[in-house]
Amino acid sequence: MDAAQLLTELLSPAGRDDPYPRYAQLHELGAATAVPGVVVVVGYDAINGVLRDPAFGAADAELYDQIMPGWRDHPSVSLNGLLTLNPPEHGRIRRLVSREFTSRRIAALAPAIAAMTDSLLAEMAERGAAGRPVEFMHDFAFLLPVTAICELIGIPEADRETFRPLATALVATLEPAITPDQLAAADEAAVQLNDYFTDLAERRREQPRDDLLSALVGVHDADDGRLSSAELLDNLALLLVAGFETTANLLGNGLRIILQDPSIGDELRTGSIPVPAFVEEVLRFDSPVQLTSRRRADPTEIAGVTATPEDEVLLLLGGGNRDPRRFCRPDTFDPARADAGPLSFGGGAHFCLGAALARLEAGVAFPRLLARFPELAPAGAPTRKDTIVLRGYETLPVTVQ
């Protein structure tokens, strides 16, 4: 198949379920391949180069006016979030938010994350008594990261369970194809989140706390141009959704690997496989984020392929993580590998703010999960989310005894 056919297949239900055979075929065509209107980049070095090149940026308002006329009428399609902003706005807002994502602040969350993990595992043990199936994605993989990011932002515990359906609706806007019904649901979710954060911000004005929301409200209220109301609300929603959606996928994808090969779980229990190495290999082998895109204002070459200003540069992160030019036996799960690190958190100016938090959560969760449940086993076939940008499981049933 040529690149156009492979790209079509990649976006089909079969490709969304298992993109890796298509990535392998794209690698045979080269590190980058041109199809009408798109440069598909699958090579590790080529992807890394684009991510780190400040001349490449996210789609801006001018482009959205061409590809999605009327986008301003949709609250879910916002260009105020860090994912879609370009310099200098991106740097201005990232500096404000990153103050709360310092290594010291993230490390300080470790005891709370461990306590959250133990509490969730205790609830799983109760639900799974006498061999009853437990739904890992709902009962653990979602709840741990949503609790962690809500603690960081400053969202009350009583409100947290309500965010999962809103996040599911909102992340549909990240996918290459979105139906009118999905867009309507995403718009409704965006309005609900904006209303929620508007109300919570007002409460933080009256009673500030040591959290991200209070800090950003203070910057906004200084009225010095550093943070507008739209930027405040959109980035809070982005941090909330991105803060647990991708980590939930990391936890589910990692557990599925263990369930398919129980010897990996045994080696994690004994320490033969270091937990950080396991987490990095999960990120490489089955990345929670599979692709992103960039554009450039002037023509350039990517791995010998010309990209024009009209071309979308599609960066297949999951494919780069399986690049045979970069990784020995790329389709083999090998936590002992010494190859280059995964592309899963992006790179350059848009490198994921929450990377350290996601690694911390996974590094705390997996050893505690495996120690608590030595008889952990699958309890039926899991179901994948029908998405290509964010790759994870909708359901992952297990038995814990």
Side-chain angles (χ1 to χ4, degrees):
M1 282 187 283
D2 62 22
Q5 291 172 309
L6 287 170
L7 185 57
T8 299
E9 275 220 354
L10 188 63
L11 301 177
S12 71
R16 294 194 294 269
D17 181 67
D18 185 7
Y20 297 110
R22 285 82 182 174
Y23 294 155
Q25 290 177 279
L26 284 167
H27 279 301
E28 293 176 2
L29 300 179
T33 311
V35 302
V38 182
V39 174
V40 182
V41 189
V42 73
Y44 181 102
D45 290 339
I47 293 172
N48 198 34
V50 172
L51 289 171
R52 296 177 183 276
D53 187 342
F56 285 92
D60 57 14
E62 182 178 351
L63 178 64
Y64 265 88
D65 285 337
Q66 299 173 25
I67 63 176
M68 189 180 180
W71 64 271
R72 291 178 178 82
D73 297 328
H74 295 282
S76 62
V77 185
S78 167
L79 302 187
N80 294 306
L82 284 170
L83 280 180
T84 53
L85 284 173
N86 292 311
E89 290 79 9
H90 178 271
R92 168 174 55 83
I93 294 179
R94 188 180 177 99
R95 284 190 293 272
L96 295 173
V97 177
S98 61
R99 295 173 185 173
E100 304 301 316
F101 281 84
T102 63
S103 56
R104 176 191 61 81
R105 193 172 183 92
I106 297 302
L109 287 172
I113 291 172
M116 296 173 208
T117 298
D118 291 342
S119 176
L120 292 172
L121 294 177
E123 293 175 10
M124 284 180 63
E126 185 176 345
R127 290 191 183 94
R132 291 191 298 269
V134 177
E135 176 36 57
F136 177 77
M137 295 308 297
H138 180 272
D139 293 340
F140 187 91
F142 161 72
L143 292 175
L144 178 63
V146 78
T147 303
I149 194 63
C150 285
E151 285 287 324
L152 191 66
I153 293 174
I155 295 173
E157 184 175 352
D159 299 340
R160 296 171 186 176
E161 182 67 22
T162 63
F163 291 126
R164 189 178 192 187
L166 298 180
T168 300
L170 200 54
V171 296
T173 61
L174 300 177
E175 295 298 317
I178 183 171
T179 68
D181 287 345
Q182 288 175 319
L183 183 57
D187 287 341
E188 184 177 345
V191 170
Q192 289 186 47
L193 283 173
N194 280 349
D195 289 346
Y196 175 81
F197 280 121
T198 298
D199 177 69
L200 189 58
E202 188 58 40
R203 283 186 269 163
R204 288 294 178 272
R205 287 188 180 93
E206 297 171 359
Q207 294 183 313
R209 299 182 184 179
D210 182 23
D211 55 35
L212 174 62
L213 179 55
S214 298
L216 292 181
V217 167
V219 172
H220 169 268
D221 292 353
D223 198 25
D224 55 9
R226 286 183 295 164
L227 190 65
S228 70
S229 295
E231 290 167 343
L232 171 66
L233 297 175
D234 287 354
N235 282 286
L236 285 170
L238 172 63
L239 288 170
L240 172 66
V241 172
F244 69 80
E245 189 75 21
T246 52
T247 305
N249 290 349
L250 169 60
L251 295 172
N253 294 353
L255 181 59
R256 177 61 173 166
I257 290 167
I258 293 170
L259 295 174
Q260 290 178 313
D261 185 354
S263 67
I264 294 174
D266 294 338
E267 292 182 81
L268 281 167
R269 290 185 181 96
T270 63
S272 300
I273 296 176
V275 173
F278 169 77
V279 172
E280 290 305 293
E281 182 66 349
V282 173
L283 287 166
R284 184 201 70 83
F285 186 77
D286 201 11
S287 176
V289 180
Q290 288 286 310
L291 63 88
T292 187
S293 66
R294 296 288 187 271
R295 293 194 180 247
R296 184 166 167 152
D298 57 318
T300 190
E301 278 202 358
I302 303 171
V305 176
T306 299
T308 72
E310 292 74 32
D311 288 327
E312 178 181 16
V313 179
L314 189 63
L315 305 175
L316 301 179
L317 306 177
N321 286 340
R322 298 281 190 105
D323 186 348
R325 303 171 189 86
R326 191 74 181 193
F327 298 99
C328 178
R329 298 178 295 116
D331 296 324
T332 299
F333 185 85
D334 180 10
R337 68 173 62 251
D339 302 306
L343 296 164
S344 309
F345 290 121
H350 282 85
F351 182 77
C352 176
L353 263 176
L357 180 58
R359 286 183 168 115
L360 173 63
E361 291 175 72
V364 169
F366 281 115
R368 288 178 126 78
L369 171 71
L370 294 171
R372 179 67 187 262
F373 302 127
E375 302 300 322
L376 189 69
T383 57
R384 280 275 184 193
K385 295 178 182 176
D386 187 25
T387 54
I388 185 62
V389 175
L390 299 181
R391 179 167 171 80
Y393 287 95
E394 188 69 38
T395 65
L396 185 55
V398 297
T399 54
V400 297
Q401 56 177 260

